[in-house]
């Protein structure tokens, strides 16, 4: 799981450079926002060990991804749907950022790291966005997704 989380972080940092930070987090409710928004948190999920007599065992690993955007925009709802395109990639909403993260992770077997051991990589679920903070002072918009990997052990 450690190598998988590290590979995900490296891929997102390299291919989505507008993200201010991509980091492993201990809870999706604790985003890596030290460097600003948008940012992504990566957290380990469930692991299921699938044992097969005669055949190789296969592990099913779930990784939880949190996408975060600042609520400080001129337009209401811009943290969800994005702001004016001329403001740049940093002002994308959580829906568009999730689509780009999904495009990076779906069917990405990280062959250079795992040498063909992963044979399934699929974003299984993208949850509705939520506002983090309290009613008096909302802090950020969050959208989460679950990615499932199947790996021969």
């Amino acid at each position: 799981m450690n190598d998988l989380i590290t590979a995900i972080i490296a891929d997102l940092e390299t291919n989505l450079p507008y993200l201010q930070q991509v980091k492993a987090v201990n809870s999706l409710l604790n985003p890596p926002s030290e460097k600003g928004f948008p940012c992504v948190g990566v957290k380990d999920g469930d692991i299921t060990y699938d044992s097969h007599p005669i055949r190789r065992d296969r592990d099913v690993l779930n990784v939880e991804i949190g996408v975060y955007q600042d609520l400080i925009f001129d337009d209401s709802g811009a943290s969800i749907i994005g702001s004016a395109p001329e403001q740049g990639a940093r002002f994308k909403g959580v829906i568009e950022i999730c689509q780009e993260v999904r495009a990076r992770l779906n069917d990405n077997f990280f062959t250079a790291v795992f040498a063909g051991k992963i044979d399934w990589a699929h974003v299984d679920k993208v949850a509705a966005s939520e506002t983090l903070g309290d009613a008096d002072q909302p802090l950020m918009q969050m959208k989460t997704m679950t990615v499932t990997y199947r790996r021969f052990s």
Side-chain angles (χ1 to χ4, degrees), residues 24-75:
V25 294
N26 59 4
S27 168
L28 292 181
L29 298 176
N30 186 21
S33 58
E34 301 90 13
K35 295 183 180 178
F37 294 97
C39 58
V40 170
V42 183
K43 184 185 176 309
D44 66 309
D46 296 335
I47 301 173
T48 305
Y49 299 103
D50 192 12
S51 226
H52 296 280
I54 304 173
R55 295 188 298 166
R56 293 181 0 194
D57 292 345
R58 182 188 284 177
D59 305 335
V60 179
L61 298 93
N62 290 301
V63 177
E64 305 294 327
I65 308 286
V67 172
Y68 309 90
Q69 181 56 287
D70 200 350
L71 287 177
I72 303 173
F73 285 111
D74 292 336
D75 302 326

Side-chain angles (χ1 to χ4, degrees), residues 11-12 15-19 38 40 67 89-90 92-106 123 145:
D11 184 90
L12 296 179
N15 295 292
L16 301 176
Y18 65 88
L19 294 173
V40 170
V67 172
R90 193 163 168 255
K92 293 180 179 188
V94 291
I95 291 173
E96 186 176 357
I97 298 168
C98 277
Q99 289 170 341
E100 293 178 358
V101 169
R102 181 176 184 266
R104 289 296 324 148
L105 300 181
N106 233 21
V123 176
M145 59 178 61

Side-chain angles (χ1 to χ4, degrees), residues 2-17 19 21-24 40 42 65 104-105 108 110 112-114 149:
N2 292 348
D3 291 341
L4 181 57
I5 290 173
T6 301
I8 290 169
I9 291 169
D11 184 90
L12 296 179
E13 285 177 333
T14 301
N15 295 292
L16 301 176
L19 294 173
Q21 189 167 11
V22 182
K23 185 177 175 182
V40 170
V42 183
I65 308 286
R104 289 296 324 148
L105 300 181
N108 186 340
F110 300 107
V113 177
F114 295 104
Y149 295 89

